[in-house]
Amino acid sequence: MRLSRLFTPRTVVSAHCDLPCGVYDPAQARIEAESLKAIAEKYQASEDPEFRTRALIVKEQRAELVKHHLWVLWTDYFKAPHFEQYPQLHSLFNEATKLAGAGGAKGSADPAVAEQLLAKIEEISKIFWETKQS
């Protein structure tokens, strides 16, 4: 009985997120997506097979980073009230992560696909900054 009392917290706290909200920013995903676009453009402009192979490897790594940064926003920053206020938010994240994945920029060397991804990230970013104002 005394042992359980010893391990019972004296103060219970709750937090909106795991860390202060200032650490969340869609710019991280945007920067990696801009890199995807630049890599795709350089890939298209090159005839060098070694360069093109390296470009594809780096592009796939950057695509994984885009997905990671989007997932962090989707799962850690945005909460139920945000999804109620912006019902399109789940769809935006789903579409953006798919555009970053194998069926999108990760699996394509077309700069237009990266441009579509950047447009989705911009939509998410706009909502993100609106939520930071409230």
Side-chain angles (χ1 to χ4, degrees), residues 75-119:
T75 60
D76 294 353
Y77 173 76
F78 286 105
K79 305 293 182 210
H82 298 134
F83 293 109
E84 291 168 14
Q85 185 176 2
Y86 300 94
Q88 75 278 28
L89 203 48
H90 280 302
S91 294
L92 279 173
F93 273 107
N94 185 49
E95 292 164 8
T97 55
K98 290 204 179 298
L99 277 168
K106 184 176 180 181
S108 170
D110 183 354
V113 175
E115 190 63 46
Q116 292 171 2
L117 172 59
L118 281 163

Side-chain angles (χ1 to χ4, degrees), residues 31-53:
I31 289 167
E32 297 301 346
E34 287 174 353
S35 177
L36 286 173
K37 183 180 176 195
I39 292 167
E41 290 169 346
K42 289 177 185 280
Y43 176 89
Q44 295 298 334
S46 177
E47 300 285 329
D48 180 355
E50 287 82 17
F51 174 83
R52 290 177 74 135
T53 299

